[in-house]
Every structure is written in structure tokens, then in C-alpha cells.
Amino acid sequence: MKLVSWNVNGLRACVNKGFLSYVEQTDADIVCVQETKLQEGQISLALDESYRQYWNYAVKKGYSGTAVFSRIEPLSVRYGIEENEEPEGRIITLEFEDFYLVTVYTPNAKRDLSRLEYRLEWEDRFRSYLLQLDAQKPVIACGDLNVAHQEIDLKNAKGNHGNSGFTAEERGKMTELLDAGFLDTFRHLYPDRTDVYSWWSNMPGVRARNVGWRIDYFIASARIAPNIVSADIDCEILGSDHCPVRLEVDLSRENG
């Protein structure tokens, strides 16, 4: 099973920059997007008709929002962590026979860290939610988690210590999540790989020089580690300030 996650930073703009061609090329079973930045009725997405579409719109126009396009029909779909509690459209959960899929757009602490306290509280609720799901069946969670976990996950670690997305508090919450029984699928396969990022600032020349951050992830229940076939980052794909990340799993494999 092939899965894709991409923070498109405005889906309508990304469609004009090759989004549909990329989806066709990857031939994924499930495509998750974050920062759709649109409201219901503002786009008619010409996806292959085999994809079922699930949308979580933010109340605020032109802000946040998530979507999942799945060729596999889910048993159930849930929007937000708790019913009607997520006005920013940040989470969609699809339940399948063998696992839960969660796409997420984690709140940004903001440059001045004015939203850091909210972010940390949100992280605790999100981790608790994933653990509730994981108690029932394995979880695959993907999206823009807005944190570079380790120094290896950004180009200029020394100069960014304490900055939004690389504070000790945010990195600590990621550590807590992984310690709770989950794994970073890319680092699981490539623990020492450097210079592979998923987001670059829009400042001139930054992407060309690959001065980036790895803040987009596929996180999975640790017990399905033997089922991971591949985990990739499509750094060369343009269309957003983020690039897509991919995961392939074979859940038919016997774990032991």
C-alpha cells in the first residue's frame, strides 16, 4: 500500500503547479494533504474517480485545512480529535480494517513563540488521541508536524536552537510521542541520512542551496516496523514550500 503526504500550502495554487500530475505519477492508494487553505465549494478537484475525497475545512477562510483522498473505502471517518472541537480543520482520521490513518497539520508556535503554550497543550491531546487509537489497532499518522526533531533534521541546527519549530519544548514533545510506542518511519530506515528535508523558506536561493528542515513525517505504531517497505522524501517536487513525503507498507506481512 502506497501513501503520500504533502503540505500543499494552498491546494488551488498547487494544482496549478503540478499537483494532479504528481498524484497520477505516484499512483498512491491514499493521498493526504495539509494547508488546503480553502472552503467547501471553492475547488472541484479532477482526481481519478477511484479516489474518495474527505475534507476538513477551517472556519477561518484561506487558512489551514486538511484532506484525504483514498482508493480504499474506510470503515469510518472522524474530523478533529473530539467532535466539533477543531475549528482549524487540522485532523482527519480514517479507520480501515487493519489500521487507523491520521493526517494532521500541527499548529505552528509562531516566530515570536506566542502560540507555544497552546502548541504544547495540543501536542499532549494529540498524543493521547493516537494512544487511544493505537490501543485498538495500529496507527499511521502523517503530515506537517512543524518540528525538526533532531539536529540532523535541519541544515542550520546551531543557528536555530530556540526558534519556532526547533525549541527544546517542541522537540521534547516529539520525543514523548516516539517514546510512547511510535516511530519516525524515515529515521527508522535512515537513522544517519543527512541533507534530506521537506520544507524550505521562501527566501531567495534557500531551496536551491538546500537549506531546509525535515518537518513532514509518517509516524507509525512501532509494532508495524516489519511492515515498512520504504519511506521517501520527494525533494525535487515543486509546487509548494514543502515537498511530498511517501510511505509504502505491506500489512499482510507476518510480524514474527
Side-chain angles (χ1 to χ4, degrees), residues 152-184:
I152 197 175
D153 293 318
L154 72 168
K155 188 70 171 184
N156 182 15
K158 184 177 180 180
N160 279 292
H161 276 288
N163 288 344
S164 176
F166 201 58
T167 63
E169 294 88 345
E170 291 165 301
R171 296 171 66 196
K173 290 300 180 185
M174 172 66 96
T175 298
E176 286 184 49
L177 176 61
L178 300 180
D179 287 348
F182 298 94
L183 56 82
D184 172 350

Side-chain angles (χ1 to χ4, degrees), residues 47-189:
L47 285 172
D48 186 290
E49 62 182 14
S50 63
Y51 286 106
R52 296 167 174 83
Q53 301 184 25
Y54 306 94
W55 300 83
N56 195 3
Y57 307 101
V59 172
K60 182 179 178 181
K61 292 182 179 180
Y63 180 74
S64 190
T66 50
V68 179
F69 314 126
S70 177
R71 284 177 164 156
I72 309 167
E73 185 173 6
L75 302 177
S76 66
V77 182
R78 182 174 182 175
Y79 301 92
I81 295 176
E82 299 170 8
E83 202 68 30
N84 300 320
E85 60 80 44
E86 183 51 78
E88 296 182 354
R90 293 185 178 275
I91 296 175
I92 303 175
T93 303
L94 273 61
E95 178 187 4
F96 298 102
E97 182 177 355
D98 296 320
F99 71 107
Y100 285 102
L101 174 77
V102 180
T103 192
V104 59
Y105 176 41
T106 299
N108 191 305
K110 291 192 174 182
R111 183 180 294 271
D112 63 359
L113 302 182
S114 60
R115 220 180 185 200
L116 179 59
E117 184 177 348
Y118 170 76
R119 159 75 180 264
L120 299 178
E121 180 271 334
W122 193 94
E123 291 271 14
D124 288 339
R125 288 195 296 122
F126 183 63
R127 183 178 65 256
S128 177
Y129 177 61
L130 293 188
L131 285 169
Q132 290 173 31
L133 297 179
D134 185 60
Q136 302 172 55
K137 61 182 74 174
V139 174
I140 297 174
C142 66
D144 177 0
L145 301 190
N146 260 317
V147 62
H149 184 220
Q150 303 173 20
E151 292 193 351
I152 197 175
D153 293 318
L154 72 168
K155 188 70 171 184
N156 182 15
K158 184 177 180 180
N160 279 292
H161 276 288
N163 288 344
S164 176
F166 201 58
T167 63
E169 294 88 345
E170 291 165 301
R171 296 171 66 196
K173 290 300 180 185
M174 172 66 96
T175 298
E176 286 184 49
L177 176 61
L178 300 180
D179 287 348
F182 298 94
L183 56 82
D184 172 350
T185 59
F186 183 81
R187 278 286 167 244
H188 173 70
L189 295 183

